[in-house]
Amino acid sequence: MESWILITLVTIPGVWSGNWGVRLENQCALKGMSTVIKCTYDYPSMNIVTSVTWYKAIRESRGLMLYRLSSLRKPRGHFEYQGDRWSDCKLKINNVQWSDEGSYYFGFETTLNRWTSRTHAYLSVKELTTVVQPSTVTEGERVNLTCVSGCSEPMDVVWFRDGQPVSSVVFQASRRDAGRYHCAILGQEHVKSAPVALNVQYAPEKVKLSLSPVGDIMAGDTVTFTCSSDANPPVTESGYSLYKDGEFIGSGQSHSISDIQPGHMGRYYCQAWNNVSRMINSTEVLLDVKYPPMNISVSMDPPHVVEGDGVNLTCSSSANPAADNYTWYKRTAPSSSSSLLQVGSGQMLSLPVMTPSHAGLYMCQVRNTAGVSNSTEVQLVMVEKQSDSPPFPILAGIGVSFVVTLVIAALLFWKKWRTSADKKNAMTDLKQGGEEPIYATTTDAVYASVHMGPTSAPLVSAQASASLMNSHHHVNTVHNPTLDDDEVTYTTVTINPRNKMNNGRTPQDTRCKPERSDDTVIYATVVT
């Protein structure tokens, strides 16, 4: 029995078994983790360990100094001795911090002596490091996540983006993948790396144009256009452009128009661009400017009003919103507002029967929700009604036309008569020349050739005289005073016989060969 007790005592470290000594192992720990520095010690037999102590070496100006761990300003329980008083001297350090890195020594005391290790265990403090490659990408590019610990021992890690778990460490980046990534030790998620941002660039989206002030915009107000967008990289000041009805207005994120007028009304939109994409349009915004009635005009139909006729006065204007009230006034005195008499309402003033009392100056007043404005005064003039008889100019025109017609008819008649006379004279000349007479169709015509001296009256032959005495006659004598005295003057004598012979020839007509009708031609030559 005593032999077994001796063998057990010999095999137990520190009892009859060896020399003084401490064996330590270096350790790598991640910041925030708990780690154990492995340690064993030995001592000669017949010594009983009475106390154990861990030290940390701290370099000072006077050299490397060892301080008991219990004397360091650390939270309670930060250092935890997990060894015993036989041979195990391991040390656990909870929530390792950067300040824990350094050299550690172990010492103990026995009933016979004390011992401090001549070597040390070095604790390296590392941390998890997140690597995002590349950290700035254009939407659609490939991204790879890597977690680096710094310690050689393998560790299982998990990934988070903005606190949310990430399932894959390799992916095609989209704008929703942008954020801050970190890795952590599986099961000890409080031990994590510093976050690293993934920057995913993309073209502008949600481009929006807004107007200020909000609500109804009145003429004369100041209006500010502001363009915004969601883009990465953000759109710069020069990356915004403002357009009205397709026409360029200006650059910049904000654009103001003071003293807004109806001419500024239209459809506006803005464009945004960055280095990823260009010219992304916002939706159109309608700028509606409210203004009181303007450009008021009054028209009359008909423009010239005759007494007793009807006339309509129509008032028109430009307004936004449209005019909803029209009032008509007539001026009763040369000036002053009190001389205006309201005579009607509505866009049209109708006067069915024009009388002298209706003539004068009229004005139209137009009103909408934005204000009220007056037209200029217009003069309504009445023209007196004329009688039913045609006016003097018309009668004078008719008289002149009638006189001209008579003159033309007289000229035509004279021309026809002259032509007939020329023919008869020509027939008389033929008779004197021995030619056969040409019998005219003129009723009871007598042709006489009369040769007249310059001062004597024409003589007619006895035969012609007898015929003239027994007949109703008319003699036409044609004499040209410009001819010489020996020229022949032809005289036409027309004889209407009282009685006609049965054979149709007059008693004096003994030279007519053919049978004739009652009409008889007598040729006479008179020489003076």
Side-chain angles (χ1 to χ4, degrees), residues 135-412:
S135 59
T136 299
V137 295
T138 300
E139 192 172 26
E141 291 183 349
R142 182 187 179 93
V143 176
N144 189 10
L145 303 178
T146 304
C147 188
V148 179
S149 68
C151 295
S152 59
E153 293 82 0
M155 290 172 287
D156 295 331
V157 298
V158 290
W159 284 93
F160 297 89
R161 183 191 74 244
D162 297 331
Q164 300 300 320
V166 175
S167 59
S168 177
V169 295
V170 179
F171 53 87
Q172 299 291 330
S174 66
R175 64 191 67 187
R176 64 176 176 271
D177 293 323
R180 300 174 65 83
Y181 288 79
H182 75 268
C183 58
I185 300 297
L186 180 63
Q188 300 183 67
E189 282 76 9
H190 65 281
V191 180
K192 57 186 178 180
S193 66
V196 176
L198 172 63
N199 184 19
V200 181
Q201 295 185 343
Y202 52 91
E205 66 174 8
K206 299 178 182 179
V207 182
K208 181 182 178 181
L209 179 64
S210 59
L211 294 179
S212 178
V214 178
D216 290 342
I217 297 175
M218 307 300 295
D221 290 348
T222 297
V223 177
T224 301
F225 299 86
T226 302
C227 196
S228 61
S229 66
D230 175 20
N232 188 25
V235 178
T236 63
E237 182 72 16
S238 61
Y240 289 105
S241 299
L242 181 66
Y243 292 83
K244 174 183 178 287
D245 298 329
E247 297 294 331
F248 175 75
I249 300 298
S251 298
Q253 189 173 7
S254 181
H255 185 83
S256 295
I257 300 177
S258 59
D259 191 21
I260 203 77
Q261 294 299 320
H264 293 118
M265 295 175 63
R267 295 187 175 275
Y268 290 78
Y269 67 90
C270 69
Q271 288 183 340
W273 63 272
N274 59 5
N275 61 354
V276 178
S277 178
R278 291 178 176 267
M279 304 304 178
I280 306 301
N281 293 349
S282 71
T283 56
E284 291 186 338
V285 175
L286 176 63
L287 174 61
D288 188 22
V289 180
K290 307 294 185 182
Y291 57 93
M294 58 189 303
N295 300 327
I296 304 174
S297 63
V298 176
S299 61
M300 289 188 293
D301 183 27
H304 303 289
V305 189
V306 178
E307 181 180 5
D309 291 348
V311 62
N312 293 325
L313 303 181
T314 303
C315 188
S316 60
S317 66
S318 173
N320 187 27
D324 54 7
N325 184 275
Y326 296 85
T327 305
W328 291 92
Y329 294 91
K330 181 184 177 184
R331 185 170 294 281
T332 58
S335 62
S336 85
S337 59
S338 61
S339 65
L340 292 175
L341 174 65
Q342 182 176 343
V343 293
S345 62
Q347 190 171 6
M348 178 183 292
L349 176 65
S350 181
L351 303 176
V353 179
M354 184 67 182
T355 63
S357 63
H358 291 137
L361 292 172
Y362 287 80
M363 182 190 71
C364 173
Q365 186 179 83
V366 187
R367 185 186 303 271
N368 67 356
T369 56
V372 59
S373 301
N374 296 336
S375 71
T376 57
E377 295 181 350
V378 295
Q379 182 77 39
L380 178 60
V381 179
M382 185 192 73
V383 179
E384 293 184 358
K385 189 173 183 181
Q386 298 180 354
S387 61
D388 295 336
S389 60
F392 176 76
I394 297 178
L395 295 176
I398 295 174
V400 170
S401 299
F402 180 74
V403 171
V404 170
T405 303
L406 290 178
V407 170
I408 293 173
L411 290 175
L412 292 176

Side-chain angles (χ1 to χ4, degrees), residues 335-510:
S335 62
S336 85
S337 59
S338 61
S339 65
L340 292 175
L341 174 65
Q342 182 176 343
V343 293
S345 62
Q347 190 171 6
M348 178 183 292
L349 176 65
S350 181
L351 303 176
V353 179
M354 184 67 182
T355 63
S357 63
H358 291 137
L361 292 172
Y362 287 80
M363 182 190 71
C364 173
Q365 186 179 83
V366 187
R367 185 186 303 271
N368 67 356
T369 56
V372 59
S373 301
N374 296 336
S375 71
T376 57
E377 295 181 350
V378 295
Q379 182 77 39
L380 178 60
V381 179
M382 185 192 73
V383 179
E384 293 184 358
K385 189 173 183 181
Q386 298 180 354
S387 61
D388 295 336
S389 60
F392 176 76
I394 297 178
L395 295 176
I398 295 174
V400 170
S401 299
F402 180 74
V403 171
V404 170
T405 303
L406 290 178
V407 170
I408 293 173
L411 290 175
L412 292 176
F413 178 78
W414 178 82
K415 184 176 180 182
K416 183 176 180 181
W417 173 82
R418 183 63 181 269
T419 302
S420 176
D422 290 343
K423 289 181 180 180
K424 293 177 180 180
N425 292 337
M427 292 177 66
T428 305
D429 289 342
L430 291 176
K431 180 62 178 179
Q432 289 179 348
E435 296 181 2
E436 290 292 329
I438 300 174
Y439 301 100
T441 60
T442 304
T443 305
D444 298 329
V446 179
Y447 297 92
S449 297
V450 181
H451 188 192
M452 299 178 64
T455 57
S456 61
L459 299 177
V460 184
S461 65
Q463 184 180 3
S465 300
S467 298
L468 290 172
M469 292 174 63
N470 296 320
S471 305
H472 298 287
H473 60 274
H474 175 76
V475 179
N476 290 332
T477 301
V478 180
H479 175 66
N480 189 348
T482 62
L483 297 176
D484 296 334
D485 292 341
D486 55 353
E487 289 182 353
V488 179
T489 299
Y490 299 93
T491 299
T492 302
V493 180
T494 302
I495 300 174
N496 294 324
R498 295 176 180 175
N499 297 316
K500 296 183 180 180
M501 303 299 291
N502 293 332
N503 57 4
R505 294 192 303 267
T506 60
Q508 293 85 359
D509 189 5
T510 58

Side-chain angles (χ1 to χ4, degrees), residues 50-58 60 65-74 78-79 85 91 103-109 114-116:
T50 58
S51 66
V52 296
T53 305
W54 277 93
Y55 302 90
K56 183 181 180 186
I58 298 177
E60 295 180 350
M65 305 297 293
L66 295 180
Y67 289 89
R68 292 176 182 269
L69 298 182
S70 59
S71 66
L72 300 177
R73 294 181 178 180
K74 292 292 181 179
H78 184 69
F79 297 107
R85 294 190 177 187
L91 175 67
S103 299
Y104 288 83
Y105 292 84
F106 176 73
F108 62 93
E109 292 183 4
R114 61 181 182 181
W115 183 264
T116 300

